[in-house]
Each structure stands twice: as structure tokens, then as C-alpha cells.
Amino acid sequence: MGIVSLPSSEMEPEKPTRSQVLTLEEVRKELGDCKRCKLHQTRRTIVFGEGNEKATLMFIGEGPGYDEDVQGRPFVGRAGQLLTKIIQSINLQREEVYIANIIKCRPPQNRNPEPDEIQSCNPFLRKQIQVIQPKIICALGTFSAQTLLKTETKITTLRGKFYDLEGIKVIPTYHPAFLLRNPDKKREVWEDMKKIAEWINNA
Ligand code: SF4
């Protein structure tokens, strides 16, 4: 599988020195009761992310939905249950990976995040990536893939290929919520997950 290089972008995690790397707890503390963008006005809870601080594999979705906003945890609704099954399909448990989103507060009516919201939230996602130092990131859905890879290429073209993000491999696949509406696409996600499992097993 070839690695596709994309131009460097502001979305890429900076390479910090050891002394600059915080813990996830410190990143969460720094985020505080965040009001850095307008989404704070309508959210119930900040959905920071959860999982293994030393995860090899990180999943990054788009943003919290209704259930996530209520519970303060990522991917806990129907799409989240499907993500849990997808993770288990490669013999991993949710607790072994790390799950986060491009933005940490639910947009009203689940609309797409706006550029200023992403810009405000992105430094914290970058810090999470710096702390965790995953070997591989699975970008879930169009929005996550296009934002992380700074591209407008469609998910149908992006998915199933490895990209390089400052030494971290990124592989986009379909979002579980899309799979709920299009179950015929599960096969392709399964193929992508097999590539992830193969890569992890050979790393
Ligand atoms: S989306 Fe991010 S930047 Fe905006 S208020 Fe929530 S945590 Fe802060």
C-alpha cells in the first residue's frame, strides 16, 4: 500500500519537544469551560474524547451529536455502537483506542462545523494527538478526512488509502452514521479496517 503525501498544513500536529508534551488531563484542564467559539452557547457538555492515552490507533470523527452532547462522551449513540463493533472487528476494544472529534461541542441541529469553530478547537485536538502519539489515525467520514488532510477530495476517493501526517499514518473511511443509512458500504469499511489491522500487526 503506497503512502500518499499531502502538502503540509495548519491541521498537522506540530512536533513538540519532550518537555512540551502535556498529559491528556492537562490538555483537558487547559480547555476548561471553553468559550473559544460560538458553539459553547448551545452545547450541554464538552465532548473531549476518551480512550487509551497511549493508543496506537486513534479514531477522529466530525463532532458530537445529541447523545454525545447529553453524555459528554464521543460516539455513544447508534453510530457509536456501530463504531464499537467496527473496533471489535479487528480484535480491539474501545478502551484500547482513543476516540475524538474534529470539534468538541455539538453544532445546533447537527450542522457541519464552520471554519472559525474548527480553527478555535483544532489546537486542542492537535495537543491530544501530540500526547497520544498514535501510529495511525482512522478519519471517520468526509468532514474528518477533509479537515485532517486539508483537501476537498471526496471520501469515496480518499478512503482506504494511507496518507502521511507528520509521521502519523491517516486512513479515511466512511463515518458509522453514513453506514447506518447505507449498510451496503459496510464491506468497504471492513476492507479498510483489515488494512489497519494488517498495518498494526506488521508495525
Ligand atoms: S467547539 Fe471547541 S473551541 Fe468551540 S467552544 Fe467547544 S471546545 Fe471550545
Side-chain angles (χ1 to χ4, degrees):
M1 172 64 55
I3 306 293
V4 182
S5 281
L6 287 159
S8 65
S9 78
E10 63 194 27
M11 298 306 300
E12 294 173 1
E14 291 158 4
K15 288 219 168 125
T17 62
R18 260 282 149 211
S19 60
Q20 288 173 318
V21 176
L22 305 169
T23 63
L24 287 178
E25 203 183 325
E26 287 167 330
V27 178
R28 181 65 191 85
K29 207 182 260 182
E30 194 183 327
L31 183 68
D33 183 27
C34 184
K35 295 180 177 165
R36 291 172 180 82
C37 83
K38 58 186 175 300
L39 293 179
H40 83 272
Q41 296 164 353
T42 46
R43 71 159 186 245
R44 285 188 215 199
T45 51
I46 294 175
V47 181
F48 181 71
E50 67 179 26
N52 179 0
E53 184 154 342
K54 303 267 176 255
T56 299
L57 173 60
M58 185 168 177
F59 288 88
I60 300 180
E62 178 177 322
Y66 175 83
D67 293 299
E68 291 75 20
D69 184 46
V70 169
Q71 296 188 41
R73 297 178 56 211
F75 283 92
V76 288
R78 279 183 68 222
Q81 287 160 17
L82 182 53
L83 177 63
T84 301
K85 284 188 191 155
I86 290 169
I87 293 167
Q88 290 168 345
S89 76
I90 54 168
N91 295 321
L92 288 171
Q93 300 301 317
R94 264 181 84 110
E95 303 72 42
E96 294 177 88
V97 304
Y98 195 88
I99 305 173
N101 284 304
I102 294 289
I103 53 161
K104 303 188 188 309
C105 299
R106 183 193 182 205
Q109 283 82 50
N110 293 344
R111 65 156 168 76
N112 285 342
E114 293 174 354
D116 61 308
E117 296 158 359
I118 295 166
Q119 204 180 2
S120 302
C121 216
N122 185 53
F124 294 93
L125 178 61
R126 284 197 349 230
K127 284 182 188 183
Q128 285 169 290
I129 294 171
Q130 285 167 4
V131 172
I132 297 161
Q133 297 183 21
K135 298 276 185 290
I136 183 161
I137 292 173
C138 181
L140 296 168
T142 303
F143 203 88
S144 172
Q146 291 185 341
T147 303
L148 285 171
L149 300 175
K150 198 79 177 166
T151 177
E152 294 184 358
T153 306
K154 289 185 174 166
I155 186 73
T156 44
T157 305
L158 291 172
R159 64 148 283 273
K161 301 188 188 84
F162 287 104
Y163 300 84
D164 182 77
L165 191 70
E166 291 281 305
I168 300 170
K169 288 192 174 41
V170 176
I171 178 168
T173 195
Y174 295 125
H175 194 286
F178 174 78
L179 291 185
L180 290 175
R181 298 190 301 273
N182 301 275
D184 56 311
K185 297 289 182 189
K186 283 185 182 171
R187 171 109 221 138
E188 286 161 63
V189 172
W190 168 233
E191 295 299 328
D192 299 343
M193 294 308 294
K194 276 199 296 191
K195 285 179 194 169
I196 291 173
E198 257 172 50
W199 190 88
I200 290 174
N201 291 335
N202 293 325

